[in-house]
Amino acid sequence: MNVDLHTHTYPASDCSHISYRDYVAWCVEHGIEAVALTNHGDMSDNRSLAPALAAEGVLLVHGVEISTLFGDFVVFSPDLDFLSTFAAVQDAPRAGELPPDAAVVWVHPGAGGGRSGSAYYLGLERMVAGVVDAVEVYNGNWLGERYVTAAEQIAAQLGAARTGGSDAHVAGQLMACYTELPDPVRSTADVVAALKQRRTIPHRAEARRPRRFGLF
Ligand SMILES: [Zn+2]
Ligand SMILES: [Zn+2]
């Protein structure tokens, strides 16, 4: 199943222009089976949208994006209360501190931290080895070759899974990049398992030109 693993909605992400209505309508119109909502340190839209999407037969996968001195990370977990403990800007998660039902994706690593203002430097991956399950190699806002190449190299060095996500802030950008996951994907736990088992394939929609909406 193809799942966009990185999206933002308004108002939980004030940088996004995608309203609840737009998000649900886009998913229904495009036959989306599952999509991950990964707002910046705010789970309120996940709580609101999950039932609305479920009513349309769409699974909402739960994640939260955090900005740290090492870059931006998305933490996935089926436990919304656990995800609610994260702030938009905070310390990087440390190995051994996360519960087994959580997975961590280092998103747009070559682009640095969106809200922390941190920059990537060579060797930084050693600081997060052990905590990162996956690296986002295709991000809809950062498809320039240098960002993709850097992310591919980091993923290889860490032995991490590779993902794609649109990082959409407008509805038209959803699924610009996405991740192929082994079927079936019935819950956030299935996504966490696929990330931990390195069973993900990143894709970018080739027909689209990368467009940037907002910075991160
Ligand atoms: Zn980011
Ligand atoms: Zn993002």
Short mmCIF file of all heavy atoms in Angstrom, two decimals, residues 57-121:
data_model
loop_
_atom_site.label_atom_id
_atom_site.label_comp_id
_atom_site.label_asym_id
_atom_site.label_seq_id
_atom_site.Cartn_x
_atom_site.Cartn_y
_atom_site.Cartn_z
N GLY A 57 -13.54 5.45 5.33
CA GLY A 57 -12.73 4.28 5.01
C GLY A 57 -11.25 4.57 4.85
O GLY A 57 -10.51 3.78 4.26
N VAL A 58 -10.79 5.71 5.38
CA VAL A 58 -9.37 6.09 5.28
C VAL A 58 -8.72 5.94 6.66
O VAL A 58 -9.23 6.47 7.65
CB VAL A 58 -9.21 7.55 4.80
CG1 VAL A 58 -7.73 7.90 4.64
CG2 VAL A 58 -9.97 7.78 3.50
N LEU A 59 -7.59 5.22 6.70
CA LEU A 59 -6.85 5.06 7.96
C LEU A 59 -5.94 6.26 8.18
O LEU A 59 -5.16 6.63 7.30
CB LEU A 59 -5.99 3.79 7.89
CG LEU A 59 -4.96 3.63 9.02
CD1 LEU A 59 -5.65 3.33 10.35
CD2 LEU A 59 -3.93 2.55 8.67
N LEU A 60 -6.02 6.89 9.35
CA LEU A 60 -5.07 7.94 9.69
C LEU A 60 -3.95 7.34 10.54
O LEU A 60 -4.20 6.76 11.60
CB LEU A 60 -5.75 9.08 10.46
CG LEU A 60 -4.84 10.31 10.63
CD1 LEU A 60 -4.52 10.95 9.27
CD2 LEU A 60 -5.46 11.35 11.56
N VAL A 61 -2.73 7.47 10.03
CA VAL A 61 -1.54 6.99 10.73
C VAL A 61 -1.02 8.15 11.59
O VAL A 61 -0.92 9.28 11.11
CB VAL A 61 -0.47 6.54 9.71
CG1 VAL A 61 0.83 6.18 10.40
CG2 VAL A 61 -1.01 5.37 8.88
N HIS A 62 -0.68 7.85 12.85
CA HIS A 62 -0.35 8.92 13.79
C HIS A 62 1.16 9.12 13.94
O HIS A 62 1.90 8.18 14.24
CB HIS A 62 -0.94 8.61 15.16
CG HIS A 62 -2.44 8.58 15.15
ND1 HIS A 62 -3.20 9.65 14.75
CD2 HIS A 62 -3.32 7.58 15.45
CE1 HIS A 62 -4.48 9.34 14.84
NE2 HIS A 62 -4.58 8.09 15.24
N GLY A 63 1.57 10.39 13.74
CA GLY A 63 2.96 10.76 13.95
C GLY A 63 3.04 12.19 14.42
O GLY A 63 2.06 12.95 14.35
N VAL A 64 4.22 12.58 14.92
CA VAL A 64 4.45 13.96 15.35
C VAL A 64 5.84 14.37 14.87
O VAL A 64 6.78 13.57 14.93
CB VAL A 64 4.31 14.08 16.89
CG1 VAL A 64 5.37 13.29 17.63
CG2 VAL A 64 4.35 15.55 17.32
N GLU A 65 5.95 15.58 14.33
CA GLU A 65 7.25 16.06 13.88
C GLU A 65 7.86 16.94 14.96
O GLU A 65 7.18 17.82 15.51
CB GLU A 65 7.13 16.86 12.57
CG GLU A 65 8.50 17.34 12.07
CD GLU A 65 8.48 17.88 10.63
OE1 GLU A 65 7.41 18.00 10.05
OE2 GLU A 65 9.59 18.18 10.14
N ILE A 66 9.13 16.69 15.27
CA ILE A 66 9.85 17.52 16.23
C ILE A 66 11.11 18.07 15.58
O ILE A 66 11.73 17.43 14.73
CB ILE A 66 10.22 16.73 17.51
CG1 ILE A 66 11.13 15.55 17.19
CG2 ILE A 66 8.96 16.28 18.22
CD1 ILE A 66 11.68 14.86 18.43
N SER A 67 11.46 19.29 15.96
CA SER A 67 12.64 19.96 15.43
C SER A 67 13.68 20.01 16.54
O SER A 67 13.38 20.47 17.65
CB SER A 67 12.25 21.38 15.00
OG SER A 67 12.86 21.73 13.80
N THR A 68 14.90 19.52 16.25
CA THR A 68 15.93 19.40 17.28
C THR A 68 17.25 19.97 16.76
O THR A 68 17.35 20.33 15.59
CB THR A 68 16.16 17.93 17.68
OG1 THR A 68 17.01 17.31 16.68
CG2 THR A 68 14.85 17.15 17.76
N LEU A 69 18.25 19.97 17.62
CA LEU A 69 19.57 20.46 17.20
C LEU A 69 20.21 19.54 16.18
O LEU A 69 21.16 19.93 15.50
CB LEU A 69 20.49 20.60 18.41
CG LEU A 69 20.23 21.83 19.28
CD1 LEU A 69 21.17 21.86 20.47
CD2 LEU A 69 20.39 23.11 18.45
N PHE A 70 19.70 18.32 16.03
CA PHE A 70 20.24 17.38 15.04
C PHE A 70 19.41 17.37 13.76
O PHE A 70 19.76 16.68 12.80
CB PHE A 70 20.30 15.96 15.62
CG PHE A 70 21.18 15.84 16.83
CD1 PHE A 70 20.86 14.96 17.85
CD2 PHE A 70 22.34 16.59 16.96
CE1 PHE A 70 21.67 14.83 18.98
CE2 PHE A 70 23.16 16.48 18.08
CZ PHE A 70 22.82 15.60 19.09
N GLY A 71 18.29 18.07 13.74
CA GLY A 71 17.43 18.06 12.57
C GLY A 71 15.99 17.75 12.97
O GLY A 71 15.65 17.78 14.16
N ASP A 72 15.15 17.46 11.96
CA ASP A 72 13.74 17.18 12.22
C ASP A 72 13.48 15.67 12.19
O ASP A 72 14.03 14.96 11.34
CB ASP A 72 12.86 17.85 11.16
CG ASP A 72 12.75 19.36 11.36
OD1 ASP A 72 13.39 19.88 12.31
OD2 ASP A 72 12.04 20.01 10.59
N PHE A 73 12.65 15.23 13.11
CA PHE A 73 12.30 13.82 13.19
C PHE A 73 10.79 13.68 13.29
O PHE A 73 10.13 14.51 13.91
CB PHE A 73 12.93 13.17 14.44
CG PHE A 73 14.44 13.26 14.46
CD1 PHE A 73 15.07 14.36 15.00
CD2 PHE A 73 15.21 12.25 13.90
CE1 PHE A 73 16.45 14.47 15.01
CE2 PHE A 73 16.60 12.34 13.89
CZ PHE A 73 17.22 13.46 14.45
N VAL A 74 10.26 12.61 12.68
CA VAL A 74 8.86 12.26 12.89
C VAL A 74 8.83 10.98 13.71
O VAL A 74 9.48 9.99 13.36
CB VAL A 74 8.11 12.07 11.56
CG1 VAL A 74 6.75 11.43 11.81
CG2 VAL A 74 7.93 13.41 10.85
N VAL A 75 8.12 11.04 14.83
CA VAL A 75 7.95 9.87 15.69
C VAL A 75 6.56 9.30 15.41
O VAL A 75 5.56 10.02 15.48
CB VAL A 75 8.06 10.26 17.18
CG1 VAL A 75 7.94 9.01 18.06
CG2 VAL A 75 9.38 10.99 17.46
N PHE A 76 6.52 8.02 15.06
CA PHE A 76 5.25 7.33 14.83
C PHE A 76 4.93 6.43 16.01
O PHE A 76 5.82 5.75 16.54
CB PHE A 76 5.32 6.45 13.57
CG PHE A 76 5.34 7.23 12.29
CD1 PHE A 76 6.53 7.43 11.60
CD2 PHE A 76 4.17 7.76 11.77
CE1 PHE A 76 6.55 8.15 10.42
CE2 PHE A 76 4.18 8.49 10.59
CZ PHE A 76 5.37 8.68 9.91
N SER A 77 3.68 6.42 16.42
CA SER A 77 3.23 5.51 17.49
C SER A 77 1.71 5.47 17.44
O SER A 77 1.06 6.47 17.15
CB SER A 77 3.69 6.01 18.86
OG SER A 77 3.01 5.32 19.90
N PRO A 78 1.13 4.31 17.78
CA PRO A 78 -0.33 4.26 17.89
C PRO A 78 -0.83 4.96 19.14
O PRO A 78 -2.05 5.17 19.29
CB PRO A 78 -0.63 2.75 17.94
CG PRO A 78 0.64 2.11 18.36
CD PRO A 78 1.77 3.01 17.98
N ASP A 79 0.07 5.33 20.06
CA ASP A 79 -0.31 5.89 21.36
C ASP A 79 -0.34 7.42 21.28
O ASP A 79 0.70 8.09 21.38
CB ASP A 79 0.70 5.41 22.41
CG ASP A 79 0.35 5.87 23.81
OD1 ASP A 79 -0.52 6.76 23.96
OD2 ASP A 79 0.95 5.33 24.76
N LEU A 80 -1.53 7.98 21.10
CA LEU A 80 -1.66 9.43 20.95
C LEU A 80 -1.23 10.19 22.21
O LEU A 80 -0.69 11.29 22.12
CB LEU A 80 -3.11 9.79 20.60
CG LEU A 80 -3.51 9.53 19.15
CD1 LEU A 80 -5.01 9.69 18.97
CD2 LEU A 80 -2.77 10.47 18.21
N ASP A 81 -1.45 9.59 23.36
CA ASP A 81 -1.03 10.26 24.60
C ASP A 81 0.49 10.35 24.66
O ASP A 81 1.05 11.36 25.09
CB ASP A 81 -1.57 9.52 25.83
CG ASP A 81 -3.08 9.65 25.93
OD1 ASP A 81 -3.63 10.65 25.42
OD2 ASP A 81 -3.71 8.75 26.51
N PHE A 82 1.17 9.29 24.22
CA PHE A 82 2.63 9.33 24.17
C PHE A 82 3.11 10.39 23.17
O PHE A 82 3.99 11.20 23.48
CB PHE A 82 3.18 7.94 23.78
CG PHE A 82 4.64 7.96 23.45
CD1 PHE A 82 5.59 8.21 24.43
CD2 PHE A 82 5.08 7.76 22.14
CE1 PHE A 82 6.94 8.25 24.13
CE2 PHE A 82 6.43 7.79 21.83
CZ PHE A 82 7.36 8.04 22.82
N LEU A 83 2.50 10.42 21.99
CA LEU A 83 2.92 11.40 20.98
C LEU A 83 2.66 12.82 21.47
O LEU A 83 3.36 13.76 21.08
CB LEU A 83 2.20 11.14 19.65
CG LEU A 83 2.57 9.84 18.93
CD1 LEU A 83 1.80 9.73 17.62
CD2 LEU A 83 4.08 9.74 18.67
N SER A 84 1.66 13.00 22.31
CA SER A 84 1.33 14.33 22.84
C SER A 84 2.40 14.87 23.79
O SER A 84 2.38 16.05 24.13
CB SER A 84 -0.01 14.29 23.58
OG SER A 84 -1.04 13.94 22.68
N THR A 85 3.32 14.01 24.23
CA THR A 85 4.38 14.47 25.14
C THR A 85 5.48 15.21 24.39
O THR A 85 6.35 15.81 25.01
CB THR A 85 5.01 13.30 25.92
OG1 THR A 85 5.66 12.41 24.99
CG2 THR A 85 3.96 12.52 26.70
N PHE A 86 5.44 15.19 23.03
CA PHE A 86 6.49 15.85 22.25
C PHE A 86 6.12 17.30 21.94
O PHE A 86 4.95 17.62 21.71
CB PHE A 86 6.74 15.09 20.94
CG PHE A 86 7.42 13.77 21.14
CD1 PHE A 86 6.66 12.62 21.35
CD2 PHE A 86 8.79 13.67 21.14
CE1 PHE A 86 7.28 11.39 21.55
CE2 PHE A 86 9.42 12.45 21.34
CZ PHE A 86 8.66 11.31 21.55
N ALA A 87 7.14 18.16 21.90
CA ALA A 87 6.95 19.58 21.57
C ALA A 87 7.51 19.83 20.17
O ALA A 87 8.33 19.06 19.65
CB ALA A 87 7.67 20.45 22.58
N ALA A 88 7.06 20.93 19.56
CA ALA A 88 7.50 21.24 18.20
C ALA A 88 9.01 21.41 18.12
O ALA A 88 9.64 21.03 17.13
CB ALA A 88 6.79 22.51 17.71
N VAL A 89 9.59 22.00 19.16
CA VAL A 89 11.05 22.15 19.22
C VAL A 89 11.49 21.58 20.56
O VAL A 89 10.98 21.97 21.61
CB VAL A 89 11.47 23.64 19.12
CG1 VAL A 89 12.99 23.75 19.17
CG2 VAL A 89 10.95 24.26 17.82
N GLN A 90 12.41 20.64 20.51
CA GLN A 90 12.84 19.99 21.75
C GLN A 90 14.13 19.20 21.52
O GLN A 90 14.67 19.20 20.43
CB GLN A 90 11.72 19.08 22.27
CG GLN A 90 11.43 17.89 21.35
CD GLN A 90 10.84 16.74 22.14
OE1 GLN A 90 9.71 16.81 22.58
NE2 GLN A 90 11.62 15.68 22.32
N ASP A 91 14.58 18.49 22.58
CA ASP A 91 15.76 17.64 22.44
C ASP A 91 15.46 16.49 21.49
O ASP A 91 14.31 16.06 21.38
CB ASP A 91 16.15 17.04 23.80
CG ASP A 91 16.70 18.11 24.73
OD1 ASP A 91 17.12 19.16 24.24
OD2 ASP A 91 16.68 17.87 25.96
N ALA A 92 16.51 15.99 20.85
CA ALA A 92 16.35 14.80 20.02
C ALA A 92 16.04 13.61 20.92
O ALA A 92 16.54 13.54 22.05
CB ALA A 92 17.62 14.55 19.22
N PRO A 93 15.21 12.67 20.42
CA PRO A 93 14.99 11.46 21.22
C PRO A 93 16.29 10.68 21.37
O PRO A 93 17.15 10.74 20.49
CB PRO A 93 13.96 10.68 20.39
CG PRO A 93 13.97 11.28 19.03
CD PRO A 93 14.52 12.67 19.15
N ARG A 94 16.44 10.01 22.48
CA ARG A 94 17.66 9.24 22.71
C ARG A 94 17.37 7.75 22.66
O ARG A 94 16.28 7.31 23.04
CB ARG A 94 18.27 9.59 24.08
CG ARG A 94 19.12 10.86 24.02
CD ARG A 94 19.92 11.02 25.31
NE ARG A 94 19.07 11.51 26.38
CZ ARG A 94 19.00 12.81 26.73
NH1 ARG A 94 19.73 13.71 26.10
NH2 ARG A 94 18.23 13.18 27.73
N ALA A 95 18.37 7.00 22.19
CA ALA A 95 18.23 5.55 22.11
C ALA A 95 17.90 5.00 23.48
O ALA A 95 18.48 5.42 24.48
CB ALA A 95 19.51 4.94 21.57
N GLY A 96 16.96 4.08 23.53
CA GLY A 96 16.60 3.47 24.80
C GLY A 96 15.49 4.19 25.53
O GLY A 96 14.93 3.67 26.48
N GLU A 97 15.17 5.42 25.10
CA GLU A 97 14.13 6.18 25.79
C GLU A 97 12.74 5.97 25.17
O GLU A 97 11.75 6.38 25.75
CB GLU A 97 14.44 7.69 25.71
CG GLU A 97 15.46 8.16 26.73
CD GLU A 97 15.66 9.67 26.68
OE1 GLU A 97 15.07 10.32 25.79
OE2 GLU A 97 16.41 10.16 27.51
N LEU A 98 12.72 5.39 23.98
CA LEU A 98 11.44 5.27 23.28
C LEU A 98 10.82 3.90 23.51
O LEU A 98 11.53 2.90 23.56
CB LEU A 98 11.65 5.50 21.78
CG LEU A 98 12.04 6.94 21.40
CD1 LEU A 98 12.57 6.98 19.97
CD2 LEU A 98 10.85 7.87 21.56
N PRO A 99 9.50 3.84 23.62
CA PRO A 99 8.85 2.54 23.79
C PRO A 99 8.95 1.72 22.50
O PRO A 99 9.15 2.27 21.42
CB PRO A 99 7.39 2.92 24.08
CG PRO A 99 7.21 4.28 23.52
CD PRO A 99 8.55 4.96 23.60
N PRO A 100 8.82 0.40 22.61
CA PRO A 100 9.00 -0.46 21.43
C PRO A 100 7.94 -0.24 20.34
O PRO A 100 8.18 -0.61 19.20
CB PRO A 100 8.91 -1.89 22.00
CG PRO A 100 8.38 -1.75 23.38
CD PRO A 100 8.65 -0.36 23.85
N ASP A 101 6.81 0.38 20.69
CA ASP A 101 5.78 0.58 19.65
C ASP A 101 5.96 1.91 18.92
O ASP A 101 5.07 2.33 18.18
CB ASP A 101 4.37 0.47 20.25
CG ASP A 101 4.05 1.58 21.24
OD1 ASP A 101 4.95 2.40 21.55
OD2 ASP A 101 2.90 1.64 21.70
N ALA A 102 7.10 2.59 19.14
CA ALA A 102 7.37 3.85 18.44
C ALA A 102 8.50 3.67 17.44
O ALA A 102 9.42 2.88 17.67
CB ALA A 102 7.74 4.94 19.44
N ALA A 103 8.42 4.37 16.31
CA ALA A 103 9.49 4.37 15.31
C ALA A 103 9.83 5.81 14.97
O ALA A 103 8.96 6.70 15.01
CB ALA A 103 9.05 3.61 14.06
N VAL A 104 11.11 6.04 14.64
CA VAL A 104 11.59 7.39 14.39
C VAL A 104 12.11 7.50 12.95
O VAL A 104 12.93 6.68 12.52
CB VAL A 104 12.72 7.77 15.37
CG1 VAL A 104 13.29 9.15 15.04
CG2 VAL A 104 12.23 7.71 16.80
N VAL A 105 11.62 8.51 12.24
CA VAL A 105 12.09 8.80 10.89
C VAL A 105 12.81 10.14 10.91
O VAL A 105 12.25 11.14 11.36
CB VAL A 105 10.92 8.86 9.88
CG1 VAL A 105 11.46 9.13 8.47
CG2 VAL A 105 10.10 7.58 9.91
N TRP A 106 14.04 10.16 10.43
CA TRP A 106 14.78 11.41 10.29
C TRP A 106 14.33 12.02 8.96
O TRP A 106 14.63 11.48 7.89
CB TRP A 106 16.28 11.12 10.29
CG TRP A 106 17.16 12.33 10.36
CD1 TRP A 106 16.80 13.64 10.44
CD2 TRP A 106 18.59 12.31 10.39
NE1 TRP A 106 17.90 14.44 10.51
CE2 TRP A 106 19.01 13.67 10.48
CE3 TRP A 106 19.56 11.29 10.33
CZ2 TRP A 106 20.36 14.02 10.52
CZ3 TRP A 106 20.90 11.65 10.37
CH2 TRP A 106 21.29 12.99 10.46
N VAL A 107 13.57 13.12 9.04
CA VAL A 107 13.00 13.68 7.82
C VAL A 107 13.87 14.80 7.26
O VAL A 107 14.57 15.49 8.01
CB VAL A 107 11.54 14.18 8.07
CG1 VAL A 107 10.62 13.01 8.40
CG2 VAL A 107 11.47 15.24 9.16
N HIS A 108 13.84 14.93 5.94
CA HIS A 108 14.68 15.89 5.18
C HIS A 108 16.01 16.17 5.89
O HIS A 108 16.32 17.32 6.22
CB HIS A 108 13.92 17.19 4.86
CG HIS A 108 13.27 17.90 6.03
ND1 HIS A 108 13.99 18.56 6.98
CD2 HIS A 108 11.98 18.03 6.38
CE1 HIS A 108 13.17 19.10 7.87
NE2 HIS A 108 11.94 18.78 7.52
N PRO A 109 16.84 15.11 6.10
CA PRO A 109 18.06 15.31 6.91
C PRO A 109 19.01 16.34 6.32
O PRO A 109 19.64 17.10 7.06
CB PRO A 109 18.69 13.91 6.96
CG PRO A 109 18.12 13.19 5.78
CD PRO A 109 16.73 13.73 5.62
N GLY A 110 19.12 16.37 5.00
CA GLY A 110 20.05 17.31 4.38
C GLY A 110 19.62 18.76 4.49
O GLY A 110 20.42 19.68 4.28
N ALA A 111 18.35 18.98 4.82
CA ALA A 111 17.82 20.35 4.89
C ALA A 111 17.89 20.93 6.30
O ALA A 111 17.60 22.11 6.50
CB ALA A 111 16.36 20.36 4.41
N GLY A 112 18.26 20.12 7.28
CA GLY A 112 18.38 20.63 8.64
C GLY A 112 17.04 20.74 9.36
O GLY A 112 16.03 20.24 8.90
N GLY A 113 17.08 21.42 10.50
CA GLY A 113 15.89 21.52 11.35
C GLY A 113 15.04 22.71 10.98
O GLY A 113 15.51 23.85 11.01
N GLY A 114 13.77 22.45 10.64
CA GLY A 114 12.88 23.51 10.17
C GLY A 114 12.61 24.58 11.20
O GLY A 114 12.60 25.77 10.89
N ARG A 115 12.40 24.18 12.43
CA ARG A 115 12.06 25.16 13.47
C ARG A 115 13.20 25.38 14.45
O ARG A 115 13.18 26.34 15.20
CB ARG A 115 10.80 24.71 14.19
CG ARG A 115 9.60 24.67 13.24
CD ARG A 115 8.29 24.58 13.96
NE ARG A 115 7.21 24.76 12.98
CZ ARG A 115 5.95 24.99 13.31
NH1 ARG A 115 5.60 25.09 14.56
NH2 ARG A 115 5.04 25.15 12.37
N SER A 116 14.16 24.47 14.46
CA SER A 116 15.31 24.65 15.36
C SER A 116 16.41 25.45 14.69
O SER A 116 17.31 25.97 15.36
CB SER A 116 15.85 23.28 15.78
OG SER A 116 16.26 22.55 14.62
N GLY A 117 16.36 25.54 13.35
CA GLY A 117 17.39 26.28 12.63
C GLY A 117 18.71 25.54 12.55
O GLY A 117 19.73 26.12 12.16
N SER A 118 18.72 24.25 12.89
CA SER A 118 19.98 23.50 12.84
C SER A 118 20.32 23.12 11.41
O SER A 118 19.44 23.03 10.55
CB SER A 118 19.87 22.23 13.70
OG SER A 118 18.95 21.33 13.12
N ALA A 119 21.61 22.93 11.14
CA ALA A 119 22.07 22.56 9.80
C ALA A 119 22.73 21.19 9.86
O ALA A 119 23.33 20.82 10.87
CB ALA A 119 23.05 23.59 9.28
N TYR A 120 22.61 20.46 8.76
CA TYR A 120 23.28 19.16 8.66
C TYR A 120 24.78 19.36 8.46
O TYR A 120 25.19 20.26 7.73
CB TYR A 120 22.72 18.35 7.49
CG TYR A 120 23.50 17.07 7.28
CD1 TYR A 120 23.36 16.00 8.16
CD2 TYR A 120 24.41 16.95 6.24
CE1 TYR A 120 24.10 14.85 8.00
CE2 TYR A 120 25.16 15.80 6.07
CZ TYR A 120 25.00 14.74 6.97
OH TYR A 120 25.74 13.61 6.82
N TYR A 121 25.57 18.54 9.12
CA TYR A 121 27.00 18.51 8.83
C TYR A 121 27.44 17.05 8.76
O TYR A 121 26.80 16.18 9.38
CB TYR A 121 27.81 19.28 9.87
CG TYR A 121 27.58 18.85 11.30
CD1 TYR A 121 28.30 17.80 11.87
CD2 TYR A 121 26.61 19.48 12.08
CE1 TYR A 121 28.07 17.39 13.17
CE2 TYR A 121 26.38 19.08 13.38
CZ TYR A 121 27.11 18.04 13.93
OH TYR A 121 26.86 17.65 15.22
#
